[in-house]
Amino acid sequence: MLDHKDLEAEIHPLKNEERKSQENLGNPSKNEDNVKSAPPQSRLSRCRAAAFFLSLFLCLFVVFVVSFVIPCPDRPASQRMWRIDYSAAVIYDFLAVDDINGDRIQDVLFLYKNTNSSNNFSRSCVDEVFGGSRWWCFWNPSRHPSWQTRKRPGSPVPALPWPLSPVGSALEPREPARYRRSTWREGLWPRRAAVSGANGSTLWERPVAQDVALVECAVPQPRGSEAPSACILVGRPSSFIAVNLFTGETLWNHSSSFSGNASILSPLLQVPDVDGDGAPDLLVLTQEREEVSGHLYSGSTGHQIGLRGSLGVDGESGFLLHVTRTGAHYILFPCASSLCGCSVKGLYEKVTGSGGPFKSDPHWESMLNATTRRMLSHSSGAVRYLMHVPGNAGADVLLVGSEAFVLLDGQELTPRWTPKAAHVLRKPIFGRYKPDTLAVAVENGTGTDRQILFLDLGTGAVLCSLALPSLPGGPLSASLPTADHRSAFFFWGLHELGSTSETETGEARHSLYMFHPTLPRVLLELANVSTHIVAFDAVLFEPSRHAAYILLTGPADSEAPGLVSVIKHKVRDLVPSSRVVRLGEGGPDSDQAIRDRFSRLRYQSEA
């Protein structure tokens, strides 16, 4: 049984607490004893709580400062579309992209020729021409018959008494016996230019003294040099120039050792550093009298290494620098219906007369004919293209012939799958049809009979086939990787599939189609162009977000100047107004639903 006090405390707990508090107030000495007897753990807990709230306050203060006080860096606004026009000009079939001004948006580099010299011809003549030792600067003798000068090795650059006019002027070899007019139209001068990918504004523009035969950009330079990478320009008939990619200024300028009758073959090959300057060296291949020769130059200074070396065979453009699994370097190139090759080690010994750092592969030497330097051809018809394909143990070689194509093992040069018969006239493009699986898109046939074949590079199986008629001389195709580990493909074809696709003025009209493997029976017509397209590329201007295409349009005849345009269009902005083209049976999705799926595509940078 509970006594009276316990029962009252249970019934009225609050009154009991009030009584205890009054008793405590009446005995302050007892309270002090309780405080003094408090365990040290409680004091430590209070210190920890104070430290926690203090750190939380500091964190909130830092977040406030970073978010509202310190200004965020300005992100350049990238225009969805821009266009640059040049009147009375001719455009080169050259297009490159790189982040030149450091705004994390890819910029555009190109070459063109126009008649508007803007008083820059004097600089072009002095800076570019007198930089070498084999060039004269000619003038109009009817206007200034009393002045004449030329640059000899070791002599100072003479002062020009007046600005030279581009009309009636030409750049010619120094030897009088070989004097002739320039290879380009009188008064039409080449220029190199770079424009911002964000808004199309000019970043830099410089004159080029000679007509350009070959361009290669993103060539690494030695560590600590003026520019981390450069563009190499090989001019006709004999100039060799390196340009700072970020400023357009000339890094070095030399006259080359090419013969005046030699044809410069593409591409410019980068070989391992042999002169020890920390930059890859440059191999230029030329053809004269059905013989291919190699010229080796230092990548950092442009000086020639050794002499000219003959490859001993006749060849065509489309060279490929291949490294075998033993580390030996070989130059592969098409020669008629065969595959030809040359050891870089053997070529280096020819041009320098001494051994170098290169290796030779005994297996490859046994496959190469000692006299003709030809290998066994795995393609019926002429060999048109050679392309590297990443493999498990090194790069394999995709050999594309006029009548068939096949993937060759990178070491044994044996077919990895059965050759596929196709009438191929255009260079194939790589992409991913299945997630993380490399495929190749091949254009089979031309005109109204053209088909796009997607093949799995691992097995050679045909994944998909699209009927896409085209016009002769259409632009090359392109692809961009998407966030779903596939690729978006861009092809050019007829505006109305199955028609002649001509405008009222009789001009051919090209249409740009977009294809994604998740919609295998649908094409999206993004744009149509009636002017002559010189170059085209699909570019990811900003990582993972800003996909656009670049067009270079201009006169079809390089000897007839006209309107030249450089155009950028953002892909996503073209999708809402695009036309849906269904191939075969239509699916359940409406046209708007298909456009929405293309609009939701996200792009990613190459790994």
Side-chain angles (χ1 to χ4, degrees):
M1 295 292 295
L2 296 173
D3 57 10
H4 180 72
K5 291 184 178 181
D6 294 337
L7 181 61
E8 185 179 0
E10 185 175 358
I11 296 173
H12 305 285
L14 295 178
K15 290 183 179 180
N16 187 53
E17 292 295 331
E18 291 176 358
R19 185 181 299 112
K20 289 182 179 181
S21 61
Q22 291 176 0
E23 292 177 356
N24 292 335
L25 290 174
N27 299 303
S29 60
K30 186 177 180 180
N31 291 336
E32 293 177 358
D33 294 340
N34 291 336
V35 173
K36 292 180 180 179
S37 62
Q41 289 81 1
S42 61
R43 301 176 186 173
L44 183 61
S45 299
R46 286 193 291 269
C47 293
R48 289 176 178 174
F52 169 76
F53 285 109
L54 180 61
S55 61
L56 180 62
F57 173 78
L58 291 176
C59 291
L60 293 175
F61 179 75
V62 171
V63 171
F64 174 79
V65 170
V66 172
S67 302
F68 301 100
V69 178
I70 301 178
C72 295
D74 293 334
R75 185 180 185 88
S78 183
Q79 296 181 8
R80 299 175 178 180
M81 181 269 180
W82 50 255
R83 174 178 179 140
I84 308 171
D85 292 330
Y86 300 91
S87 59
V90 174
I91 195 76
Y92 284 86
D93 185 6
F94 166 73
L95 178 64
V97 294
D98 205 328
D99 185 8
I100 296 175
N101 56 1
D103 60 356
R104 295 182 296 176
I105 299 177
Q106 297 294 303
D107 304 307
V108 183
L109 296 94
F110 58 95
L111 294 167
Y112 73 100
K113 297 184 286 187
N114 73 344
T115 56
N116 182 15
S117 63
S118 302
N119 296 325
N120 283 327
F121 178 73
S122 298
R123 180 188 175 195
S124 173
C125 187
V126 175
D127 293 351
E128 305 292 345
V129 179
F130 287 149
S133 60
R134 295 187 177 182
W135 296 93
W136 281 10
C137 190
F138 291 96
W139 64 98
N140 189 334
S142 63
R143 294 177 57 191
H144 304 281
S146 60
W147 181 82
Q148 132 181 11
T149 186
R150 67 179 178 181
K151 168 75 165 64
R152 290 185 180 274
S155 62
V157 176
L160 299 179
W162 66 86
L164 290 176
S165 170
V167 179
S169 304
L171 302 176
E172 301 299 336
R174 188 184 67 180
E175 294 79 8
R178 296 177 53 196
Y179 168 78
R180 56 189 177 188
R181 299 291 301 187
S182 64
T183 57
W184 63 89
R185 185 181 177 91
E186 181 176 345
L188 202 61
W189 302 104
R191 303 182 68 81
R192 54 184 186 260
V195 297
S196 169
N199 52 32
S201 60
T202 301
L203 299 178
W204 53 257
E205 185 173 350
R206 303 285 187 272
V208 181
Q210 296 186 45
D211 199 12
V212 179
L214 186 62
V215 186
E216 181 70 27
C217 284
V219 177
Q221 294 297 291
R223 185 178 300 175
S225 62
E226 181 180 347
S229 62
C231 283
I232 307 298
L233 284 71
V234 182
R236 297 186 182 97
S238 59
S239 68
F240 201 52
I241 305 170
V243 175
N244 188 329
L245 190 64
F246 302 100
T247 64
E249 297 292 342
T250 300
L251 297 175
W252 43 258
N253 181 3
H254 304 292
S255 59
S256 63
S257 59
F258 313 142
S259 170
N261 298 322
S263 300
I264 301 172
L265 304 177
S266 64
L268 180 70
L269 300 179
Q270 300 181 41
V271 300
D273 182 22
V274 296
D275 57 357
D277 57 9
D281 294 317
L282 308 172
L283 180 61
V284 182
L285 298 166
T286 61
Q287 184 181 29
E288 183 179 7
R289 298 177 182 177
E290 299 183 353
E291 183 181 23
V292 176
S293 300
H295 310 258
L296 191 61
Y297 295 88
S298 169
S300 62
T301 64
H303 293 123
Q304 185 170 3
I305 301 174
L307 304 174
R308 180 181 68 91
S310 174
L311 274 64
V313 293
D314 182 18
E316 304 172 2
S317 292
F319 292 80
L320 188 70
L321 182 63
H322 183 72
V323 183
T324 68
R325 291 169 191 165
T326 62
H329 291 75
Y330 282 82
I331 304 170
L332 299 178
F333 53 97
C335 45
S337 60
S338 299
L339 177 63
C340 291
C342 174
S343 169
V344 176
K345 175 181 175 61
L347 179 62
Y348 182 80
E349 292 175 351
K350 285 183 180 180
V351 300
T352 63
S354 61
F358 302 102
K359 301 179 181 178
S360 61
D361 192 315
H363 179 65
W364 277 57
E365 292 297 326
S366 64
M367 290 191 297
L368 283 169
N369 186 295
T371 304
T372 63
R373 310 304 295 174
R374 295 173 186 263
M375 297 181 178
L376 176 64
S377 175
H378 298 277
S379 173
S380 57
V383 178
R384 296 192 181 276
Y385 303 104
L386 296 172
M387 305 173 68
H388 270 146
V389 176
N392 295 328
D396 295 328
V397 179
L398 180 66
L399 186 148
V400 182
S402 59
E403 301 177 10
F405 58 95
V406 65
L407 183 65
L408 304 179
D409 181 85
Q411 177 63 27
E412 303 295 332
L413 290 184
T414 54
R416 286 192 173 272
W417 30 262
T418 305
K420 306 297 180 181
H423 183 55
V424 182
L425 295 176
R426 309 288 298 279
K427 188 174 182 178
I429 60 171
F430 296 120
R432 286 175 172 81
Y433 190 90
K434 297 180 179 179
D436 298 322
T437 302
L438 193 62
V440 60
V442 179
E443 299 182 31
N444 180 24
T446 58
T448 57
D449 298 327
R450 187 181 76 154
Q451 285 187 327
I452 308 296
L453 302 178
F454 294 90
L455 285 91
D456 189 325
L457 280 171
T459 63
V462 177
L463 301 172
C464 181
S465 175
L466 303 176
L468 185 60
S470 67
L471 293 168
L476 295 176
S477 305
S479 67
L480 284 176
T482 54
D484 60 355
H485 303 280
R486 292 181 172 92
S487 295
F489 296 87
F490 300 86
F491 304 104
W492 289 88
L494 296 178
H495 171 54
E496 295 289 345
L497 300 183
S499 69
T500 57
S501 186
E502 290 188 353
T503 61
E504 296 179 356
T505 59
E507 295 178 338
R509 177 177 294 179
H510 300 272
S511 287
L512 177 62
Y513 293 92
M514 184 178 179
F515 172 81
H516 193 263
T518 56
L519 296 169
R521 309 308 300 171
V522 172
L523 290 173
L524 207 64
E525 185 184 16
L526 297 177
N528 55 80
V529 181
S530 59
T531 55
H532 176 68
I533 301 174
V534 179
F536 159 80
D537 198 6
V539 179
L540 192 60
F541 275 81
E542 295 179 83
S544 304
R545 52 180 296 168
H546 186 178
Y549 72 81
I550 293 291
L551 277 182
L552 301 184
T553 65
D557 186 2
S558 60
E559 296 299 324
L563 179 65
V564 164
S565 299
V566 184
I567 307 169
K568 168 203 164 183
H569 270 290
K570 192 174 182 179
V571 172
R572 188 176 181 182
D573 294 335
L574 296 173
V575 172
S577 60
S578 62
R579 182 172 68 97
V580 177
V581 180
R582 300 179 184 270
L583 306 175
E585 295 294 333
D589 294 336
S590 64
D591 289 357
Q592 187 57 45
I594 292 175
R595 293 189 190 97
D596 292 341
R597 291 183 64 176
F598 276 95
S599 294
R600 289 193 296 267
L601 282 177
R602 295 296 179 266
Y603 303 90
Q604 66 179 8
S605 304
E606 289 284 0

